């Protein structure tokens, strides 16, 4: 196997695994802060118990997210050193802001929240929870700003063949970032909502003594999930319109749209071989003119197909890779501007489908538990627990589509920006041997597998332990020993 292929597998495996932790941390941190706010304002013991239980699961997930996330930035130097040299002047600013402004604040206030239950005034302790939650969102914003620059380079000038940052404000207010951030945060809330619903349903089925805690958690998770899915639809529509302007090939690949259409139909489902860019023998169930509306807010607009886009890309960015031994077997070969169509086409539909299933399951669970009812069948907790996976799968499918849909570019050219600001993925890898990359791939995958076992074990332990497993010991008279 070539270095490029191994490096892409390594980055894909570690990044997708890490992003399983990220949305749960973001969404759950804000929900836990809300639970604690409700307790401080009302003094209701139910909200205190919810804060302690869901807060414990948040801490486990956050710790695993930190451990798995550290590798991500190191990978730029390990397997993608040419890429690091190319984007380093731009990436340094948002990544430094993420580390200093966001992550340090996040870690500091999380520590105060963990150890301050019996030491800080109640409102100061609550402020720590909110500071940690908001810093988590800020951290996500800076990372998305860096990622969005790769999708749509802005705020730079070319100097000696490399982009040089001229405006950090342009990078932070990139329209791609402004669209990606609400979409990502909504996805995080969808994950956290399903997490609450699934675990609460399992405890309700067990007839736990803390029934009020689990019913409140289930209702909160359901409404959060439904609102999140609505926000995902709105923000996703905005992203689609930007994709049409900035990355037309990704738009065409998402639909397996091989030939230009006006108006263009939206493909709901395709039968046939979508791997071929000529779309022979592919039959689709379509919604007439919907793709035109999604692309340009107009039911009659034209959407370019793959067959017409390829010559346009070849004219702008070249037909062949440079003759360079560092490119391996791709040196001097024709550039394939068409992403992996099965990945982009089905990834786009899995993202939407799993998101819709998650929201639908949440509403169904709310209906099942109306008027304090609890179904007695085994299917009820099984359905709730299975529902936890759906927004995770939607998030993963969405990110795989976003990143693989821009291939063969690692830095996508801005069609209206500075000329020459792009980089092919084949040019971005380090000068390493296949054996070196394969060794790190095996090592990191093995470590992440061990961490997955640890994560599942700890989450399972505290979920099964329920409320008693996270509360302080009771006093002699049987009352809860509150932190304040």
């Amino acid at each position: 196997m070539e270095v490029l292929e191994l490096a892409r597998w390594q980055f894909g495996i570690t990044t997708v695994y890490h992003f399983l932790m990220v949305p749960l941390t973001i969404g759950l941190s804000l929900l836990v802060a809300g639970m604690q706010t409700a307790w401080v304002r009302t003094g209701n013991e139910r909200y205190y118990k919810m804060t302690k239980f869901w807060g414990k699961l948040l801490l486990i997930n956050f710790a695993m997210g930190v451990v798995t996330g550290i590798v991500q930035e190191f990978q730029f130097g390990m397997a993608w050193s040419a890429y690091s040299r190319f984007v380093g002047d731009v990436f340094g600013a948002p990544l430094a802001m993420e580390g200093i402004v966001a992550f340090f604040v996040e870690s500091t206030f999380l520590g105060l929240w963990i150890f301050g239950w019996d030491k800080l005034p109640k409102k100061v302790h609550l402020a720590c929870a909110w500071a940690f939650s908001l810093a988590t969102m800020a951290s996500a914003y800076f990372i998305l700003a860096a990622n969005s620059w790769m999708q749509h380079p802005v705020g730079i000038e070319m100097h000696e063949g490399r982009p040089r940052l001229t405006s950090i404000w342009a990078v932070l207010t990139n329209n791609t970032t402004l669209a990606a951030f609400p979409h990502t945060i909504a996805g995080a809330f969808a994950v956290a909502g399903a997490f609450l619903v699934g675990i609460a349903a399992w405890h309700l089925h067990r007839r736990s003594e803390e029934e009020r805690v689990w019913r409140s958690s289930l209702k909160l998770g359901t409404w959060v999930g439904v609102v999140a899915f609505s926000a995902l639809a709105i923000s996703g529509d905005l992203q689609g319109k930007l994709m049409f302007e900035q990355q037309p090939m990704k738009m065409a690949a998402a639909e397996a749209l091989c030939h230009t259409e006006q108006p263009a139909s939206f493909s709901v489902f395709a039968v046939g071989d979508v791997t071929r860019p000529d779309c022979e023998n592919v039959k689709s169930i379509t919604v007439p003119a919907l793709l035109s509306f999604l692309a340009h807010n107009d039911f009659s607009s034209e959407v370019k197909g793959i067959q017409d886009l390829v010559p346009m890309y070849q004219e702008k960015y070249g037909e062949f890779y440079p003759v360079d031994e560092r490119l391996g077997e791709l040196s001097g070969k024709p550039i394939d501007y068409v992403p992996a169509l099965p990945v982009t086409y089905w990834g786009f539909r899995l993202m939407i489908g799993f998101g819709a299933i998650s929201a639908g399951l949440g509403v169904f669970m709310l209906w099942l538990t109306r008027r304090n009812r609890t179904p007695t069948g085994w299917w009820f907790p099984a359905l709730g627990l299975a529902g936890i996976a759906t927004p995770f799968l939607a998030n993963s499918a969405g990110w795989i589509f976003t990143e693989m849909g821009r291939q063969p570019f690692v830095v996508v050219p801005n069609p209206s920006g500075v000329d020459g600001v792009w980089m092919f993925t084949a040019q971005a890898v380090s000068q390493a041997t296949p054996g070196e990359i394969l060794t790190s791939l095996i090592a990191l995958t093995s470590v992440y597998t061990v961490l997955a076992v640890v994560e599942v074990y700890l989450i399972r332990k505290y979920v099964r332990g329920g409320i008693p497993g996270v509360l302080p010991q009771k006093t002699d008279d049987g009352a809860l020993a509150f932190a304040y």
Side-chain angles (χ1 to χ4, degrees), residues 156-348:
I156 53 92
E157 65 180 10
M158 291 300 289
H159 179 71
E160 297 180 354
R162 291 173 52 191
R164 183 166 63 182
L165 183 66
T166 58
S167 173
I168 183 61
W169 181 248
V171 173
L172 295 178
T173 59
N174 189 345
N175 56 4
T176 307
T177 306
L178 298 179
F181 180 69
H183 196 68
T184 303
I185 296 301
F189 277 114
V191 167
F195 192 69
L196 263 65
V197 169
I199 294 173
W202 184 77
H203 276 286
L204 282 174
H205 179 74
R206 296 179 68 201
R207 305 293 177 179
S208 168
E209 294 180 0
E210 304 292 349
E211 181 178 348
R212 293 181 64 214
V213 171
W214 305 122
R215 286 196 182 277
S216 295
S217 296
L218 188 143
K219 290 180 180 179
L220 174 63
T222 297
W223 286 112
V224 165
V226 171
V227 173
F229 181 73
S230 301
L232 283 167
I234 296 170
S235 57
D237 176 66
L238 177 59
Q239 283 192 303
K241 289 172 172 54
L242 286 175
M243 191 196 315
F244 173 75
E245 297 175 4
Q246 298 169 359
Q247 300 183 49
M249 182 62 80
K250 184 188 289 186
M251 168 69 81
E255 289 299 309
L257 183 68
C258 298
H259 307 286
T260 300
E261 294 183 9
Q262 185 180 10
S265 300
F266 179 85
S267 174
V268 179
F269 192 86
V271 178
D273 184 10
V274 297
T275 63
R276 295 169 58 94
D278 56 10
C279 295
E280 291 185 6
N281 304 319
V282 174
K283 303 295 182 182
S284 295
I285 300 172
T286 62
V287 179
L290 180 58
L291 182 58
S292 292
F293 178 79
L294 294 176
H296 208 255
N297 221 27
D298 181 348
F299 286 104
S300 61
S301 62
E302 178 184 81
V303 179
K304 294 286 187 183
I306 293 170
Q307 294 292 308
D308 292 314
L309 286 171
V310 168
M312 294 171 55
Y313 275 72
Q314 289 175 338
E315 181 180 355
K316 285 186 177 182
Y317 313 117
E319 295 185 42
F320 301 93
Y321 285 109
V323 177
D324 188 337
E325 63 178 10
R326 292 176 298 180
L327 295 177
E329 63 178 10
L330 292 178
S331 176
K333 296 293 181 64
I335 301 171
D336 184 4
Y337 286 104
V338 183
L341 291 180
V343 174
T344 52
Y345 181 84
W346 291 113
F348 187 65

